[in-house]
Amino acid sequence: MSRTIDVPVDGMTCAACAARISRGLAKLDGVEEANVNFADHTAHLVVDPERVDLDEVAATIEKLGYGVACEIETLAGGDAPPVSDTLDEAAAAADRRVAEVFRRLVVAAVFAVPTVAISMVSALRFDGWEWVALVLSTPVVFYSGWEFHAAAARNLRHGTTTMDTLVSMGTLAAWTWSVVALTLVDGHVYFETAAAIVALILLGKWFEALATRRSGDAIRALAGLRARTARLVDGREVPVDELEVGDRFVVRPGEKIATDGVVVEGHSAVDTSMVTGEPVPVEVGPGDEVIGATINANGSLVVEATRVGADTTLAQIMKLVAEAQATTAPVQRLADRVAAVFVPAVLSIAAVTLVAWLATGHAADEAFTAAVAVLIIACPCALGLATPTAIMVGTGRGAQLGVIIKGGQVLEETRRIDVVVLDKTGTVTEGRMELVDTVVADGVDPATLARRAAAVEARSEHPIAAAVAAAVADPPPVTDFRNEPGRGVIGVVEGVEVRVGRRGLFDEVPAEVEQAASAAEEQGRTAVLAGWTVDGVARALGVLVVADRIKPTARQAVAALHDLGVRVVLLTGDNERTARAVGDAIGVDEVIAEVLPADKDAVVARLREQGHVVAMVGDGINDAPALARADLGIAVGTGTDVAMEASDLTIVSGDPLAVADAIALARRTLATIKGNLFWAFAYNTAAIPLAAAGLLDPMIAAAAMGFSSVFVVTNSLRLRRFAGYRPRSVSRGAAGRSPSPSPRPVRS
């Protein structure tokens, strides 16, 4: 069985580094897939544990000129480390990177500013200023710029080139030429150019490091939601990591629920917004499931742990998001191919530029300046950051909203979706029968009818009977209970013989009761007659209307999907009349009813054969084949693990409106990736000819190159403001930010 391992890599400075390590690792025996993410400095590997040699993995990374930022033996254990630990390590590494770049930047700024000032401002010059510029620029080039030179040397030993090669060659060429011009020939010096290039590129890298650090904040915030301790029912307080399945713990008002479990005592409202994105607290009582890290609002609860450690909902969300952030979108493949050949091409262009300027009679310093500008302007950092930063921010924002996107491939698929198939039960409806209405004959008290009917139905095991019984909190006692198979139930309540069931159970059914029952059935609901014996005649005195209640936001969800240009199909195994009633109520385009569970897959296959790109939304085990068959599978997280495993997107809450949020967010993320790639390509396409023509000073080129990377990362960070279609107090727990000022939908 394949296994995924993440190897932190030190020393990467550009997209070409990541691409080269990926190619090297992919050639190793036992490595089935290798994806090195420049944004999080991690090699994500899918390996065959029986064949892979992790020492060889580490040796390959080091042979390519990079380092492994952990003991490779720690990756050989059976289970992967907790996602939260990995996130902590990534955050620590990002902090170290920010500090290191800032330290070198400070040195560069202190020495580069006076170098540029005396070199560029005639009034500040004095006899021998060139020697002062040499002294000031040397620590900038060789200390602050050491990272570029060291990486370029490593790459040169292995016969490869990267962005560091361009920076190193450009700055060393400017500094060396200036030394030669100062000491051997009477020429123009470029000490200020070398110093300014290093300082400006480091400034861009510092902003880049800060922005990249922020891109992982959402998922790290999720990790920070975990409760640290749990108070057991015997009064002991233990670390959450020591909880076991079956342990019972107390949750007081205002406390976080320690782990996933089932309420065994107490009633309360639970704020689940940090996990599901839903702002409205959920009422819970004995028998209800609760999610770890959510907040108990106002009542004391006793909870029995059902999932602990890596099995909890929060841990699974973090794992899915971490895996998604490690993937490569297909759109990135073009950038990877370009990055792999880009640097050699730029070196060739710089050489041609130098020769062409000299051949056309220009001075050597002019030719040299143009060639250096080409080297500096062309650095492909922005290409390497375009996709991973957008995926990291987009999937992190999705996690805050209760939408789990499994990877880059999903982002591409959502762009083409034109049909969404909604499973009815559990997706559009609540998935459980409820008493939704009580209609009584003239002179009958509705409360009395409901109370007596609930008392009798409480003795039955039928699901419809359970719905009626659940509607009354404390029904009176029943005697002489008996079940009439196929007809209903009878019992004595409050001294009266009460009957609940079909029409055949009664001697008389008044016209008004018959009419109410028929009206309910026309709406696709179940009509249960209830009454009691009066003067020896069993009369139906009212109708209990039972239905699987449509979720409050289902109609809004369909409207939002229409707004996204998607056709909506309702798919259900229910009868045609019930399905049609639900479909009409929520406004779908088509209803496909009376479909056996095994045939849902066939319906999706048929839609695809007709040329549609299909998204399937479901929550049950019987939905799993259809979810896997669809171009995009969306699982409602309140459903089964099997459905979520088969899906591409997971909605943690049961709100169907989140389906529109998921599609809109995925489309927005893909659009951001494409925008990033466009500007990265356009920048280099436009800038290299300008540099070769001598229209860009190397210092300006260095500033533009650095800030192109900052632009790409900043553009990706705009995804943090995605609000979606659901009116909400957005992610209060996850993000710690103020509520969104407007529920107006944000679309791709």
Side-chain angles (χ1 to χ4, degrees):
M1 179 182 293
S2 298
R3 181 170 159 240
T4 301
I5 62 173
D6 294 335
V7 183
V9 179
D10 277 342
M12 287 194 298
T13 56
C14 68
C17 299
R20 191 154 64 89
I21 299 171
S22 295
R23 290 194 299 271
L25 293 176
K27 296 176 182 177
L28 296 179
D29 185 48
V31 176
E32 300 172 2
E33 183 180 336
N35 175 32
V36 180
N37 191 328
F38 174 48
D40 66 4
H41 289 252
T42 302
H44 306 280
L45 308 178
V46 178
V47 302
D48 181 347
E50 301 297 325
R51 296 165 49 215
V52 74
D53 183 346
L54 291 179
D55 288 331
E56 188 178 2
V57 169
T60 299
I61 293 173
E62 290 168 358
K63 184 179 178 181
L64 291 170
Y66 305 91
V68 176
C70 71
E71 293 293 331
I72 197 70
E73 291 78 8
T74 63
L75 303 174
D79 295 326
V83 174
S84 56
D85 292 349
T86 303
L87 292 170
D88 291 341
E89 292 173 5
D95 287 338
R96 289 195 299 271
R97 174 63 179 166
V98 170
E100 178 186 354
V101 174
F102 183 72
R103 183 170 60 251
R104 293 184 182 274
L105 173 61
V106 169
V107 173
V110 168
F111 290 100
V113 169
T115 303
V116 172
I118 63 175
S119 301
M120 304 298 291
V121 181
S122 301
L124 297 178
R125 291 180 182 175
F126 48 85
D127 290 340
W129 67 267
E130 295 94 337
W131 293 96
V132 174
L134 168 61
V135 172
L136 291 173
S137 64
T138 298
V140 179
V141 173
F142 292 98
Y143 170 74
S144 297
W146 179 252
E147 176 184 275
F148 308 122
H149 308 316
R154 287 197 307 266
N155 295 328
L156 186 60
R157 288 199 303 270
H158 297 96
T160 59
T161 56
T162 67
M163 183 274 292
D164 301 301
T165 307
L166 302 180
V167 177
S168 179
M169 288 185 65
T171 54
L172 287 177
W175 187 87
T176 303
W177 168 268
S178 300
V179 171
V180 171
L182 179 61
T183 58
L184 300 179
V185 299
D186 186 15
H188 187 74
V189 296
Y190 292 96
F191 292 120
E192 80 286 354
T193 298
I197 287 172
V198 172
L200 290 169
I201 291 177
L202 284 175
L203 179 62
K205 283 192 169 293
W206 182 56
F207 283 130
E208 174 190 306
L210 289 173
T212 304
R213 173 68 174 83
R214 288 184 63 201
S215 68
D217 282 351
I219 186 62
R220 284 189 288 271
L222 280 176
L225 294 175
R226 297 168 297 156
R228 304 300 176 186
T229 60
R231 183 176 290 99
L232 301 180
V233 291
D234 61 8
R236 290 183 297 131
E237 190 166 316
V238 300
V240 168
D241 293 340
E242 295 182 10
L243 280 178
E244 297 180 357
V245 173
D247 285 348
R248 294 190 174 189
F249 55 91
V250 178
V251 188
R252 296 181 299 192
E255 291 183 339
K256 290 181 179 179
I257 296 173
T259 192
D260 295 1
V262 175
V263 177
V264 293
E265 291 181 26
H267 292 81
S268 185
V270 176
D271 180 358
T272 63
S273 60
M274 69 285 294
V275 175
T276 66
E278 298 298 326
V280 180
V282 178
E283 297 289 337
V284 298
D288 290 329
E289 295 184 356
V290 290
I291 300 174
T294 56
I295 299 174
N296 180 29
N298 54 19
S300 183
L301 299 174
V302 176
V303 178
E304 182 175 307
T306 56
R307 294 182 181 181
V308 296
D311 295 328
T312 63
T313 299
L314 184 62
Q316 290 300 310
I317 289 173
M318 290 190 295
K319 180 174 182 292
L320 287 171
V321 174
E323 290 174 353
Q325 293 182 340
T327 62
T328 298
V331 72
Q332 174 67 10
R333 293 170 190 159
L334 175 62
D336 290 341
R337 290 195 297 270
V338 170
V341 301
F342 192 78
V343 176
V346 169
L347 290 173
S348 300
I349 293 172
V352 170
T353 299
L354 178 63
V355 172
W357 275 69
L358 292 173
T360 54
H362 289 83
D365 59 347
E366 293 178 333
F368 172 79
T369 300
V372 169
V374 170
L375 291 176
I376 299 303
I377 195 67
C379 296
C381 273
L383 290 179
L385 293 167
T387 296
T389 53
I391 290 178
M392 289 177 70
V393 179
T395 52
R397 180 59 179 152
Q400 292 177 323
L401 299 178
V403 174
I404 310 302
I405 303 172
K406 284 194 174 179
Q409 181 70 36
V410 175
L411 303 174
E412 299 252 357
E413 294 297 341
T414 58
R415 176 176 59 86
R416 302 182 297 115
I417 294 297
D418 63 354
V419 173
V420 168
V421 178
L422 298 173
D423 175 59
K424 182 181 77 68
T425 305
T427 302
V428 171
T429 64
E430 299 288 355
R432 62 182 183 273
M433 303 299 285
E434 292 183 349
L435 180 63
V436 296
D437 196 10
T438 302
V439 183
V440 297
D442 289 341
V444 178
D445 178 28
T448 300
L449 182 77
R451 186 177 69 253
R452 291 179 176 178
V456 179
E457 292 282 61
R459 300 287 295 273
S460 173
E461 297 179 354
H462 195 282
I464 294 178
V468 174
V472 177
D474 190 17
V478 179
T479 59
D480 298 332
F481 174 83
R482 67 182 188 273
N483 182 31
E484 297 284 336
R487 301 174 69 205
V489 291
I490 303 173
V492 175
V493 181
E494 297 176 340
V496 178
E497 184 186 74
V498 177
R499 299 187 174 210
V500 184
R502 298 181 182 272
R503 291 169 177 80
L505 194 63
F506 298 91
D507 299 324
E508 290 184 7
V509 180
E512 56 189 318
V513 174
E514 181 66 49
Q515 184 178 2
S518 298
E521 290 170 346
E522 285 296 324
Q523 295 175 359
R525 297 175 171 182
T526 300
V528 180
L529 273 60
W532 44 82
T533 301
V534 180
D535 297 331
V537 178
R539 299 187 66 211
L541 300 175
V543 177
L544 304 171
V545 181
V546 176
D548 185 2
R549 190 186 297 272
I550 296 174
K551 292 182 178 179
T553 59
R555 187 172 185 84
Q556 292 173 265
V558 174
L561 290 170
H562 286 157
D563 189 46
L564 291 167
V566 174
R567 182 165 166 262
V568 184
V569 176
L570 183 67
L571 181 66
T572 179
D574 266 353
N575 63 73
E576 181 73 27
R577 184 170 58 184
T578 300
R580 181 65 58 187
V582 173
D584 291 344
I586 63 175
V588 299
D589 301 290
E590 182 182 357
V591 175
I592 302 176
E594 300 179 8
V595 177
L596 296 175
D599 295 333
K600 290 184 177 181
D601 178 38
V603 171
V604 172
R606 187 177 73 248
L607 287 169
R608 295 184 67 194
E609 289 169 1
Q610 293 171 357
H612 296 295
V613 182
V614 181
M616 171 71 192
V617 186
D619 75 322
I621 292 176
N622 57 17
D623 296 325
L627 288 168
R629 172 78 62 182
D631 297 283
L632 181 70
I634 302 176
V636 176
T638 50
T640 66
D641 292 339
V642 176
M644 287 187 279
E645 186 65 29
S647 68
D648 304 299
L649 283 169
T650 298
I651 306 302
V652 180
S653 72
D655 186 352
L657 194 54
V659 174
D661 281 354
I663 294 176
L665 175 59
R667 288 184 178 181
R668 173 66 70 82
T669 304
L670 180 62
T672 300
I673 291 173
K674 290 187 172 183
N676 286 347
L677 290 174
F678 169 80
W679 286 111
F681 280 122
Y683 159 80
N684 284 307
T685 301
I688 291 176
L690 293 175
L695 301 177
L696 278 180
D697 183 273
M699 284 189 291
I700 298 175
M705 187 281 294
F707 282 96
S708 67
S709 296
V710 176
F711 169 80
V712 163
V713 178
T714 304
N715 188 47
S716 298
L717 289 173
R718 292 171 59 238
L719 287 167
R720 291 156 60 100
R721 298 199 300 269
F722 177 88
Y725 286 88
R726 288 176 290 172
R728 69 180 76 246
S729 174
V730 180
S731 309
R732 287 179 294 152
R737 293 191 297 276
S738 59
S740 176
S742 172
R744 183 174 60 85
V746 177
R747 299 180 290 276
S748 60

